[in-house]
Structure formats: structure tokens, C-alpha cells
Amino acid sequence: KGKTRMTTDSENWTTYRLVVLDVEGNGAQPPELVEVGIVVIDQAAVVEPPHTWLVKPAKKISAKVTAIHGIKNSDVAKAQRFEDVAHAVRDVLRDDYVVAHSASVDVEVLSRQLPGWKPRGVIDTLRLARRFLPGRGSYALGSLIKDLELMSGSQGAHRAGYDALAAARLFTRLARDEKGQPRPLTSILAPIEPPGTGQGSLF
């Protein structure tokens, strides 16, 4: 008789430290960061509260983008430049696996600001949602938050810390099978989607 395949420690995502990332930008091209949010998942436990940094961009935040994430130019007027907080961001990120919704967007923007930073691997909750929750009308993070009741309220929605926490909870939901067992790491790791194909943060 065939034996059930056991997931080894190297294949079990719950044995790793993961960092869930969300960034918000100012609407410029290329985008400049105005906020970074990171939530740590340590051995399957979502660690709260999120790590967040407000960042002062060189260019003003556009009104169109402020209408999305709510961050005004006055909010970042006295914030530090990204280079002043980069070391703190690196300290939290390390070189661990990164999780994000529409990951190519967040990883690309942050990689531009952190030369030499390369995560161990990337997990895209947008891809996971499309795969494990088929047939939905929308896979935007806001829609998933509401339908799966991932957050107790909408206060802070579209801010980096809120969205990173929501993505962390979404990940822990999708990264387990119907029996509650962790899916193998290789089954949830995926190539990063080309920029512009996801429904992630608006810059």
C-alpha cells in the first residue's frame, strides 16, 4: 500500500519566520514610499502589532493617492526620509520569506529602496487566493478582508500596517488545506507576477 507523503521540516512553512509586507506610495512614477508596514509570522503565529514607518518622499503625495490610503502631505511633513529608516526596515525583513498581496508591486518598490536586499523567497497571497478561492468576482485585498471577515473593522484600511496584518491573516488561512494542515512550502511559493498584473497597493 502507498504511504501518505509526510511534509518535512524544510517543506513546512510553519517552521520558518516569514515577513508580510505592504507599502504605500505617493503616486509618482517611479513610486516613492510614504509608508511601510511589516507583520512577522513566527512559527505560524501572527505577531502583533505591525511594524510601521511613515516616510517623507521627495515629491508631494498626489490627491488621487491620498484619497485611497488617506496619508496627507501634512502627515509626512516631519517624517524621516527612507534612508533614515532603511536600517530598521532591514532589521525586521532580514532575508526571510516575504509574503504580500500582489507581491511584485511591493517587492519591486522596496527592492529599489534597499539595494542588495533579496528575500529567501516570495509568496503572493493574490496568487494563492486565485488558486484556492476560485470563482470570486474580486481578488482585491479589501474584498477578501470583508468576505472572509479577516479584520474586526475598516478603520485604518489601505494603510500599510492594516493591510500587512490583513494579508498575514489571509496567508495563514490560505496556507492550510481543508484539514487545517500546512500546505507544502513549494506549493505556495511562486514566481513574482509582472508589475501591473495584480490588485495591490496604489502608488
Side-chain angles (χ1 to χ4, degrees):
K1 294 181 180 180
K3 294 182 178 180
T4 301
R5 181 176 179 271
M6 298 299 290
T7 301
T8 63
D9 282 350
S10 63
E11 274 278 270
N12 190 344
W13 63 264
T14 68
T15 65
Y16 292 95
R17 179 183 185 272
L18 303 94
V19 288
V20 188
L21 172 67
D22 186 79
V23 301
E24 304 297 337
N26 66 344
Q29 289 298 330
E32 293 182 87
L33 294 172
V34 297
E35 190 173 40
V36 178
I38 302 173
V39 171
V40 174
I41 300 177
D42 192 7
Q43 296 186 352
V46 176
V47 181
E48 299 184 44
H51 300 268
T52 59
W53 297 266
L54 273 175
V55 180
K56 183 178 182 179
K59 296 180 180 179
K60 298 253 183 219
I61 304 170
S62 72
K64 181 180 179 180
V65 174
T66 292
I68 299 295
H69 54 46
I71 303 172
K72 303 184 290 291
N73 288 294
S74 58
D75 294 328
V76 297
K78 295 183 179 180
Q80 294 178 295
R81 299 288 188 182
F82 184 78
E83 53 264 31
D84 298 320
V85 301
H87 64 286
V89 174
R90 282 183 185 270
D91 284 348
V92 178
L93 287 173
R94 304 181 190 175
D95 60 351
D96 292 321
Y97 288 104
V98 165
V99 180
H101 199 71
S102 189
S104 61
V105 178
D106 301 83
V107 172
E108 179 185 347
V109 173
L110 196 55
S111 295
R112 193 181 300 120
Q113 299 291 329
L114 293 173
W117 171 64
K118 187 175 181 180
R120 185 171 188 167
V122 175
I123 300 167
D124 190 341
T125 53
L126 175 61
R127 294 175 66 100
L128 295 185
R130 286 172 172 164
R131 179 179 174 188
F132 298 122
L133 300 173
R136 290 182 51 85
S138 172
Y139 290 92
L141 183 58
S143 177
L144 293 165
I145 290 170
K146 181 179 179 181
D147 293 349
L148 300 179
E149 299 181 342
L150 297 173
M151 305 292 278
S152 59
S154 60
Q155 185 174 2
H158 300 296
R159 292 293 298 266
Y162 180 100
D163 284 0
L165 181 56
R169 293 177 179 177
L170 176 62
F171 167 77
T172 58
R173 178 83 62 90
L174 297 175
R176 293 182 182 276
D177 63 20
E178 295 77 9
K179 296 180 180 180
Q181 296 301 308
R183 301 185 192 277
L185 186 60
T186 50
S187 74
I188 58 177
L189 284 171
I192 301 173
E193 292 186 349
T197 60
Q199 300 181 52
S201 302
L202 176 63
F203 300 106

